[in-house]
Amino acid sequence: MSLPDLSAFFLTLKLAASATFILLLIGVPIAWWLANTTSRIKPALEALIAMPLVLPPTVLGFYLLVLMNPDSVVGAFWVRMTGDTLTFSFAGLVIASVVYSLPFMVQPLQSAFEGTGRAVMELAASLRASPLDAFFNVAAPASFRGFVTAIVLTFAHTIGEFGVVLMVGGNIPGRTRVISVEIYEHVESLEYAQAHALSLILLVLSFSVLLFVYVFNRRYRLHVD
Amino acid sequence: MSTETLHIDISARFDAFSMYVRQDVPMQGITAVIGPSASGKTSLLRTISGLELPQSGRIVFNGESWFDSVARINVPAHRRGVGYVHQDGRLLPHLDVAANLDFAVKRATGTAQGISREELIDRLELGDLLSRRPARLSGGERQRVAIAQALLTRPRLLLMDEPVSALDQNRKRVVLSLLRQLPERYGLPIMFVSHSIGEVTRIADAAMVMGSGKIVDSGDPLEVLNAYMSGDPLGTERGVILEGEVRQIDPRLKLASINLDGADIHLPDLDGITTGERVRLIVSARDVAIATEATNATSIQNHLPSRVCDIVDIAESAFVDIRLSLSNGGDLYARITRASMEGLGLTVGQTVFAMVKSARLTV
């Protein structure tokens, strides 16, 4: 079994890390808002965020491709700002991954924030904590488990994406060829040994991540109750 | 409007009911808020603290507007400086007891002197709990920690919602006597919601009664509480609160003699009181019997000459409550069976003896 090219592997990690970081910035306020709002548009927003869970990745990828096309408003704006296209670029992949993995960040955080509860936030206010103080020193630490779950799942899910990446990023080595695309490529070329090696890496990685999440949740729960 | 006042004039609507409160609460001492459940006591405290928003009106604390619907003022809860001990004894779940207390200490503001962390740990007996998380505390332990935590923020006003409901009798006594000292020692006004007449009688300097989202009575605690108890339609808790001075304590007989406006009564088991102290006693209707003539042929020691001034029928039961007016002016209730009443031929205006079997020190 020959050693596979690891550039796809590192590109994948870079993509997952970037998407997770951006999603943390976007997802936390969205999850906080959803956990606390009484607005009537809440269910609509929740449905929208959950869409990537049910839509075929090709559908999502197709619309993102249309949106990022240099002829479209968004795509053209990006070209003007950066000189590069969104389609078939790393930046485009990151944006697509952010959309694709949004529910994996928002949903665990939202339920963690809801679990912290209004009662505890009221207590924080009675103890003279400002809303920001209460968020960082009460809601966030009390939701620690939710944060770990959200980050790990988002990261893992981004590593595993295929359809969206292929639609938006294509298959450019070193630029948009992530590990899942590379596996597909090997299989197409009947290079089963390389496909095996990469698949095994993903398999072990995914299992370890999920094992970590479940073990961690169990241990933390025991500690709190 | 005096400056030492919490001026409340609000109308608020919640899920199940509406609240209209117009009241000046003295911002000194302990003001008890009593009333049946779902009468709005908790909602009132939540509104004062800023956790609930009234529809309209004003809340002015010592001249400072906290809420004013016309001037569009709404000071958020964390800037009102109101300490709040919640009914459920809630604490910050992710921190142990010591860190819960420190959270409050770090956010305390103002130059006002406050009770220290050490004293609270000592008096509320929190020493053994410091490294425990809230999930591992009993209801009573949580309440004690919650009281300490609220005090450590150095509040300008302390709101307490059934704060000692889960404590055993001894601890309740200790905590109430601590609370009793706070207004004087630190100039801290307290509003204390309770359904327990005993607790309220013990500590209140003023009392308010809520019913269906309104204040229905307020003023001197003894008057308010006595009116509240006699107004109880079921008469379940009927009795009176009397205030008196401890004249002497006989250590051999374990009997305290207490002077109630002229009449002495002798009561057992009143531990913790000292000679000369003024105490409030609850004399429950169940603990008072009636004799129509003076007699020593009874085990009951306290025979107080009095006059029958009212007979209150308790529907659907074998009992009646006789309201007796003591010769020195106070009132008592005696609960006897209708059969006894007819057997003794009691009528309004008749002179009798109230036989007081026991009384509770009000905890």
Side-chain angles (χ1 to χ4, degrees):
Chain A
M1 190 156 73
S2 71
L3 244 144
D5 181 5
L6 285 178
S7 72
F9 181 71
F10 290 117
L11 185 74
T12 307
L13 291 185
K14 189 176 143 197
L15 175 65
S18 313
T20 305
F21 178 73
I22 293 171
L23 269 174
L24 205 54
L25 298 182
I26 301 172
V28 170
I30 293 176
W32 182 249
W33 187 82
L34 284 175
N36 290 295
T37 187
T38 51
S39 164
R40 269 182 300 177
I41 67 159
K42 175 180 169 175
L45 194 65
E46 284 178 307
L48 195 67
I49 288 167
M51 291 266 275
L53 295 175
V54 293
L55 274 185
T58 42
V59 172
L60 204 64
F62 171 66
Y63 280 118
L64 284 168
L65 191 62
V66 170
L67 195 74
M68 293 178 182
N69 191 301
D71 296 334
S72 77
V73 179
V74 177
F77 177 74
W78 187 268
V79 172
R80 220 178 315 129
M81 295 302 289
T82 65
D84 195 4
T85 59
L86 266 181
T87 46
F88 311 109
S89 73
F90 183 73
L93 277 194
V94 172
I95 292 174
S97 302
V98 163
V99 174
Y100 181 58
S101 295
L102 187 61
F104 290 84
M105 180 63 80
V106 170
Q107 288 181 349
L109 284 178
Q110 186 186 339
S111 59
F113 291 151
E114 281 167 351
T116 305
R118 186 174 161 191
V120 172
M121 296 309 286
E122 285 179 356
L123 173 62
S126 302
L127 297 172
R128 299 179 185 255
S130 69
L132 209 63
D133 180 1
F135 176 81
F136 281 109
N137 294 303
V138 178
S143 308
F144 183 57
R145 206 150 53 99
F147 270 92
V148 173
T149 304
I151 289 170
V152 171
L153 287 182
T154 303
F155 190 82
H157 185 249
T158 309
I159 286 179
E161 73 177 274
F162 173 70
V164 175
V165 168
L166 196 65
M167 296 288 279
V168 173
N171 183 8
I172 306 166
R175 193 164 141 95
T176 64
R177 183 187 286 178
V178 294
I179 198 162
S180 57
V181 176
E182 174 125 325
I183 292 170
Y184 178 71
E185 179 82 5
H186 285 312
V187 172
E188 286 285 277
S189 328
L190 300 176
E191 295 161 357
Y192 277 31
Q194 283 92 332
H196 260 309
L198 288 174
S199 297
L200 196 64
I201 292 177
L202 273 195
L203 198 74
V204 171
L205 191 71
S206 308
F207 180 75
S208 316
V209 160
L210 291 176
L211 186 66
F212 170 77
V213 169
Y214 285 115
V215 167
F216 176 81
N217 275 348
R218 220 171 104 182
R219 201 169 276 169
Y220 196 72
R221 191 173 302 137
L222 278 178
H223 188 51
V224 165
D225 290 345
Chain B
M1 190 194 320
S2 130
T3 46
E4 295 283 279
T5 294
L6 180 68
H7 173 69
I8 306 168
D9 183 358
I10 48 164
S11 92
R13 211 169 27 239
F14 303 107
D15 287 344
F17 80 117
S18 301
M19 182 166 81
Y20 302 95
V21 170
R22 187 169 188 169
Q23 184 76 21
D24 282 337
V25 184
M27 284 294 98
Q28 50 225 341
I30 299 178
T31 302
V33 184
I34 56 172
S37 50
S39 58
K41 305 185 296 289
T42 298
S43 298
L44 177 64
L45 289 201
R46 291 175 59 82
T47 307
I48 293 170
S49 73
L51 297 177
E52 301 283 355
L53 199 61
Q55 235 77 23
S56 63
R58 285 152 52 90
I59 300 173
V60 183
F61 172 78
N62 292 352
E64 177 187 323
S65 277
W66 280 349
F67 177 79
D68 190 328
S69 56
V70 175
R72 302 189 138 273
I73 294 170
N74 180 34
V75 178
H78 67 279
R79 290 214 204 96
R80 292 192 186 186
V82 173
Y84 198 131
V85 179
H86 296 268
Q87 198 167 8
D88 50 13
R90 65 181 70 154
L91 296 166
L92 301 173
H94 62 296
L95 300 176
D96 63 19
V97 170
N100 261 282
L101 298 182
D102 292 338
F103 188 96
V105 170
K106 274 182 213 146
R107 285 159 184 79
T109 54
T111 50
Q113 278 295 304
I115 190 163
S116 72
R117 190 179 187 276
E118 289 66 38
E119 184 177 353
L120 282 167
I121 290 173
D122 179 44
R123 295 188 65 178
L124 295 172
E125 295 173 66
L126 305 179
D128 294 337
L129 310 179
L130 290 175
S131 60
R132 280 206 244 159
R133 294 225 181 196
R136 303 212 168 184
L137 299 177
S138 72
E141 288 167 340
R142 274 171 204 235
Q143 285 190 328
R144 276 147 55 206
V145 177
I147 292 169
Q149 192 183 37
L151 284 169
L152 286 173
T153 62
R154 304 265 168 101
R156 298 195 286 165
L157 164 63
L158 181 60
L159 305 178
M160 311 187 90
D161 193 354
E162 301 277 6
V164 295
S165 58
L167 300 185
D168 60 57
Q169 286 303 317
N170 281 333
R171 286 246 165 70
K172 200 175 271 193
R173 214 168 288 163
V174 170
V175 172
L176 290 179
S177 76
L178 169 68
L179 295 180
R180 190 69 227 117
Q181 297 169 356
L182 294 173
E184 211 173 314
R185 265 174 75 187
Y186 303 108
L188 174 65
I190 298 176
M191 289 179 76
F192 184 96
V193 162
S194 179
H195 69 276
S196 156
I197 301 287
E199 288 168 22
V200 169
T201 308
R202 175 85 163 194
I203 64 168
D205 298 304
M208 295 165 28
V209 180
M210 280 199 88
S212 323
K214 294 188 181 72
I215 305 286
V216 293
D217 194 9
S218 67
D220 174 78
L222 257 52
E223 283 171 25
V224 169
L225 290 169
N226 279 325
Y228 180 69
M229 286 200 289
S230 68
D232 178 4
L234 296 172
T236 43
E237 275 274 354
R238 188 159 292 146
V240 294
I241 300 161
L242 299 170
E243 198 169 32
E245 190 185 311
V246 183
R247 283 258 278 249
Q248 60 180 32
I249 296 167
D250 186 326
R252 188 180 69 83
L253 297 172
K254 307 251 182 286
L255 220 52
S257 115
I258 295 167
N259 183 275
L260 304 165
D261 298 324
D264 267 7
I265 68 169
H266 304 278
L267 296 169
D269 296 330
L270 301 177
D271 51 73
I273 64 171
T274 51
T275 308
E277 191 182 346
R278 281 196 80 74
V279 292
R280 290 173 183 166
L281 299 171
I282 294 184
V283 183
S284 161
R286 284 188 299 262
D287 292 327
V288 180
I290 290 177
T292 47
E293 51 197 64
T295 171
N296 287 319
T298 166
S299 64
I300 299 174
Q301 288 237 313
N302 304 300
H303 307 178
L304 307 174
S306 51
R307 199 173 53 82
V308 175
C309 55
D310 197 8
I311 296 173
V312 186
D313 207 62
I314 302 169
E316 310 285 324
S317 83
F319 296 98
V320 290
D321 283 343
I322 311 287
R323 186 150 69 89
L324 302 166
S325 161
L326 300 175
S327 48
N328 57 37
D331 273 7
L332 278 182
Y333 279 98
R335 175 158 302 179
I336 60 175
T337 60
R338 197 170 287 107
S340 307
M341 179 191 74
E342 285 167 6
L344 292 169
L346 292 180
T347 51
V348 172
Q350 192 175 349
T351 303
V352 295
F353 292 89
M355 322 269 281
V356 181
K357 193 170 177 185
S358 76
R360 284 183 287 144
L361 251 197
T362 58
V363 171

